[in-house]
């Protein structure tokens, strides 16, 4: 009996690896991190060798992006390495989201540093070596564009699945890395414009002003990334389109049912888990409603509880709440 029971139970078990990962993005981020780190070392070494504060400053600025990109790579590696670890009840995908959130904090710190230095230079102008600074900015821009190109390729990987929630497919860890290099590229463009303005027309004030504009731009990108990754980490996504789809299924059910409780949270890119509690006068079990919810492929882990009501609307004493769960690999 025990053997038969165990064998039957295996039919209802399923994997908790709800996200297939993004190997292309992991590889691209690793290359971008290596390229950024190399540029950082070259700039810092050149700054010391040629006694150039501009070169040193840009090198240390690039170090923050190197750390952020390295953090993104580490998140991918950790999520993949612990994918089969049973301690993670709903998989390791949120390690990537945590990496993106932490990277967004670093981005906010970069924006604050840019703002402080720009205001400081605006109040106390210093001599600018335009030719050298322009060269540095152009080289930095080329490196950032190369990194952005690498990360852009991984950004579209895995987006071929249909999903009503377009944002659900976003790789927030990759997006954080992408935002870092794009932010650096944008500040390089602003710096080039300001430096040419100062060199050609003597408008030295353009350099710190463009720095302030860049800081505001980076801060806005950081805030959006913090907001989106924070929502996932806190399971604050009950306004996602999939929630409305679940409600529609329940309302359209041939067997009328009243929704008692609903919990929906993301467990992968464009993939969700849900717990649904229902009350019904109908003589049906959880599997009946689960079968209807399965039309939405983004629901990869479904748990349903059914409370049977008598004619007076009270829960039948002889019919305790029934529940059943369904995951990515459902029993046939």
């Amino acid at each position: 009996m025990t053997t038969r029971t165990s064998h039957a139970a295996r039919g209802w078990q399923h994997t908790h690896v709800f996200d297939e990962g993004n190997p292309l993005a992991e590889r691209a981020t690793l290359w971008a991190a290596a390229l950024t780190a190399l540029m950082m070392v070259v700039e810092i070494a050149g700054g010391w060798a040629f006694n150039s504060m501009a070169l040193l400053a840009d090198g240390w600025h690039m170090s923050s992006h190197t750390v952020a990109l390295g953090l993104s790579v580490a998140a991918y590696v950790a999520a993949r390495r612990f994918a089969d670890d049973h301690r993670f009840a709903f998989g390791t995908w949120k390690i990537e989201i945590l990496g993106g959130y932490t990277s967004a904090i670093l981005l906010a710190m970069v924006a604050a540093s840019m703002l402080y230095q720009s205001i400081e230079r605006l109040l106390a102008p210093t001599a600018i070596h335009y030719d050298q600074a322009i060269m540095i900015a152009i080289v930095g821009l080329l490196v950032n564009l190369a990194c952005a190109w690498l990360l852009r390729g991984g950004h579209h990987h895995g987006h071929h699945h249909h999903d009503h929630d377009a944002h659900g497919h976003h790789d927030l860890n990759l997006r954080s890395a992408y935002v870092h290099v794009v932010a650096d590229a944008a500040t390089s463009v602003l710096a080039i414009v300001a430096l040419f303005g100062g060199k050609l027309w003597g408008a030295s004030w353009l350099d710190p002003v463009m720095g302030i504009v860049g800081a505001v731009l980076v801060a806005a990108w950081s805030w959006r990334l913090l907001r989106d990754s924070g929502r996932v980490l806190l399971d604050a996504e009950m306004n996602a389109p999939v929630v409305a789809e679940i409600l529609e299924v329940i309302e359209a059910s041939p067997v009328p049912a009243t929704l008692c409780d609903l919990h929906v949270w993301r467990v992968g890119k464009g993939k969700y888990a849900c717990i649904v509690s229902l009350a019904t006068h109908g003589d049906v079990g959880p599997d009946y409603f689960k079968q209807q919810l399965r039309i939405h492929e983004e629901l990869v882990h479904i748990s349903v509880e059914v409370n049977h009501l008598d004619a007076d609307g009270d829960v039948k004493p002889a019919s305790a709440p029934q529940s059943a769960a369904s995951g990515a690999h459902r029993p046939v």
Side-chain angles (χ1 to χ4, degrees), residues 128-142:
I128 301 173
H129 302 284
Y130 288 108
D131 291 336
Q132 186 183 51
I134 289 171
M135 181 192 69
I136 295 167
I138 290 174
V139 173
L141 175 61
L142 292 175

Side-chain angles (χ1 to χ4, degrees), residues 2-297:
T2 303
T3 304
R4 282 201 299 270
T5 302
S6 299
H7 179 73
R10 281 199 294 271
W12 292 95
Q13 294 171 346
H14 59 86
T15 179
H16 284 175
V17 180
F18 298 111
D19 190 82
E20 69 279 6
N22 197 341
L24 180 60
E26 182 179 339
R27 235 176 3 254
T29 308
L30 178 60
W31 276 106
L35 191 57
T36 305
L38 179 62
M39 185 65 194
M40 175 197 74
V41 171
V42 169
E43 287 191 342
I44 292 176
W48 280 109
F50 302 113
N51 196 29
S52 169
M53 286 306 297
L55 205 56
L56 274 173
D58 198 60
W60 287 116
H61 174 75
M62 204 161 236
S63 70
S64 63
H65 295 293
T66 302
V67 171
L69 290 169
L71 185 64
S72 295
V73 173
Y76 279 126
V77 172
R80 177 167 45 80
R81 181 177 178 183
F82 296 107
D84 297 317
D85 193 319
H86 68 276
R87 292 176 298 177
F88 295 90
F90 290 95
T92 58
W93 175 69
K94 283 190 178 179
I95 292 178
E96 296 180 18
I97 305 302
L98 183 60
Y101 184 84
T102 308
S103 187
I105 293 176
L106 291 176
L107 197 63
M109 293 171 65
V110 168
S113 175
M114 287 172 60
L115 182 63
Y116 175 79
Q117 291 178 17
S118 297
I119 293 175
E120 188 178 45
R121 289 191 181 186
L122 192 61
L123 297 175
T126 56
I128 301 173
H129 302 284
Y130 288 108
D131 291 336
Q132 186 183 51
I134 289 171
M135 181 192 69
I136 295 167
I138 290 174
V139 173
L141 175 61
L142 292 175
V143 170
N144 291 135
L145 290 177
C147 291
W149 179 81
L150 282 169
L151 297 175
R152 185 72 176 175
H155 190 65
H156 290 289
H157 179 70
H159 288 201
H160 56 277
H161 298 292
H162 174 70
D163 192 337
H164 294 292
D165 182 12
H167 295 288
H169 283 307
H170 286 174
D171 186 331
L172 289 174
N173 188 42
L174 177 62
R175 181 174 147 197
S176 69
Y178 185 72
V179 167
H180 268 276
V181 297
V182 169
D184 215 14
T187 54
S188 293
V189 170
L190 292 174
I192 291 169
V193 171
L195 290 168
F196 269 112
K199 179 182 178 181
L200 299 176
W201 305 301
S204 58
W205 54 269
L206 268 176
D207 187 58
V209 167
M210 286 298 190
I212 293 173
V213 172
V216 172
L217 188 64
V218 172
W221 287 339
S222 170
W223 164 247
R224 284 197 292 269
L225 190 55
L226 281 169
R227 179 196 61 196
D228 293 345
S229 56
R231 283 175 181 169
V232 177
L233 291 174
L234 295 173
D235 297 321
E237 295 193 289
M238 287 300 290
N239 60 340
V242 70
V243 175
E245 292 172 350
I246 293 171
L247 297 177
E248 287 174 5
V249 168
I250 295 169
E251 290 174 3
S253 173
V255 177
T258 301
L259 180 68
C260 302
D261 197 13
L262 175 63
H263 300 277
V264 179
W265 65 100
R266 215 189 308 187
V267 293
K269 292 185 290 293
K271 296 178 182 178
Y272 297 84
C274 71
I275 298 174
V276 185
S277 178
L278 302 169
T280 180
H281 291 280
D283 189 20
V284 295
D287 283 337
Y288 177 82
F289 295 101
K290 280 169 47 188
Q291 193 63 39
Q292 296 178 54
L293 289 169
R294 284 175 184 163
I295 66 169
H296 296 295
E297 295 181 356

